Amino acid sequence: MSGSGARAAYGMVGGVLPADTTEDVRTRGAGVSAQVAVLPVGSFEQHGPFLPLATDTLVACAVAREIAAAYPVHLLPPLTVSCSHEHAAWPGTVSISAVTLHAVVSDIAASLRRSGVDALVVVNGHGGNYVLGNVVQEATARGERMALFPAAEDWEAARERAGVVTSLLTDMHAGEIETSILLHAHPEFVRPGHESADFTADDRRHLLTLGMSAYTESGVIGRPSLGSAEKGKALLASLAESFEPYAALLTSAPGRR
């Protein structure tokens, strides 16, 4: 499974929802050794005064859309609410429990297998969704095919390729990376203010105990002023390239994984 077998474009509704018909899925599945579905998982949480609550969902969808344009995968609609408890101090943030997110992703994977889709890639757009790692570990221990993407190494490679100056540690939330991806993929949702919103807090060792509000008033941790559409485009291109070994792993013969 490689980029050479992908379509030139991927139909989308509103830039986020897949426009496939059931016949599209059947046709795509007939041409691959194993069908792979891609599930974007975002969140609905504060991203400062200039990025929307849906930022993580938009980022996850942008990454998934790049993958679907390069590989013959079955693109799923996103999960738009997840584990954002650390952002509860800000109005508009909505969370579900880790138990619920675990159950929903597991149910989706089981449903896909019943319909003949062999593997699931979870494209995570929110760092607080720690439980997704457990979902993948438990599934693979049962012999199911699942992966979590992007890994930290994939983000680091994308950061270097795109010329993102801020480190992954510093670029924690609503910073250079997220602002760049939205400036490229959804500039209509980026409001004025990111040019002067930089704020850093690299020592966040008590984040899980105290929440984000202990480290930032604005909700921003990073350097959004350095964001650009050009960087966003390069970030997504790099992540699409980084996906290739994941695709190969999930579509290889069971004994060779």
Side-chain angles (χ1 to χ4, degrees):
M1 180 178 178
S2 69
S4 61
R7 291 144 295 149
Y10 201 100
M12 304 290 291
V13 175
V16 176
L17 297 179
D20 271 350
T21 68
T22 187
E23 290 304 315
D24 293 328
V25 179
R26 179 178 288 114
T27 300
R28 191 181 312 120
V32 297
S33 58
Q35 291 193 69
V36 176
V38 173
L39 175 67
V41 180
S43 72
F44 200 74
E45 65 186 35
Q46 71 84 19
H47 276 77
F50 55 87
L51 294 182
L53 294 161
T55 290
D56 288 341
T57 298
L58 294 170
V59 168
C61 286
V63 174
R65 191 161 60 241
E66 289 289 316
I67 292 170
Y71 304 87
V73 298
H74 175 31
L75 183 58
L76 300 172
L79 298 183
T80 58
V81 177
S82 60
C83 302
S84 301
H85 310 283
E86 70 273 28
H87 298 278
W90 281 272
T93 297
V94 181
S95 290
I96 58 177
S97 71
V99 172
T100 299
L101 182 58
H102 189 300
V104 170
V105 175
S106 297
D107 283 355
I108 289 171
S111 176
L112 288 164
R113 290 192 300 274
R114 288 193 295 271
S115 67
V117 178
D118 311 277
L120 176 64
V121 178
V122 179
V123 174
N124 182 33
H126 171 48
N129 290 335
Y130 312 111
V131 72
L132 293 177
N134 298 111
V135 176
V136 172
Q137 286 180 321
E138 293 167 17
T140 55
R142 294 190 297 267
E144 300 163 13
R145 297 193 179 204
M146 192 181 295
L148 183 61
F149 183 81
E153 293 84 354
D154 301 313
W155 278 117
E156 182 61 27
R159 184 187 73 81
E160 292 180 2
R161 172 170 164 178
V164 169
V165 176
T166 317
S167 70
L168 293 181
L169 172 64
T170 299
D171 196 58
M172 189 258 187
H173 194 71
E176 186 176 0
I177 287 176
E178 289 184 321
T179 302
S180 293
I181 290 176
L182 259 69
L183 284 171
H184 167 65
H186 294 284
E188 70 276 16
F189 295 144
V190 181
R191 300 188 185 187
H194 63 90
E195 304 88 348
S196 58
D198 291 5
F199 182 82
T200 60
D202 285 355
D203 186 346
R204 304 183 295 270
R205 70 187 71 190
H206 303 300
L207 176 67
L208 297 181
T209 301
L210 300 175
M212 280 280 289
S213 60
Y215 296 95
T216 171
E217 274 188 42
S218 67
V220 176
I221 296 181
R223 297 191 178 97
S225 70
L226 301 177
S228 71
E230 293 75 19
K231 291 177 183 178
K233 182 178 180 179
L235 284 161
L236 293 175
S238 177
L239 290 173
E241 289 184 11
S242 293
F243 184 75
E244 185 161 6
Y246 292 81
L249 183 65
L250 291 172
T251 57
S252 63
R256 296 171 57 192
R257 285 189 292 153

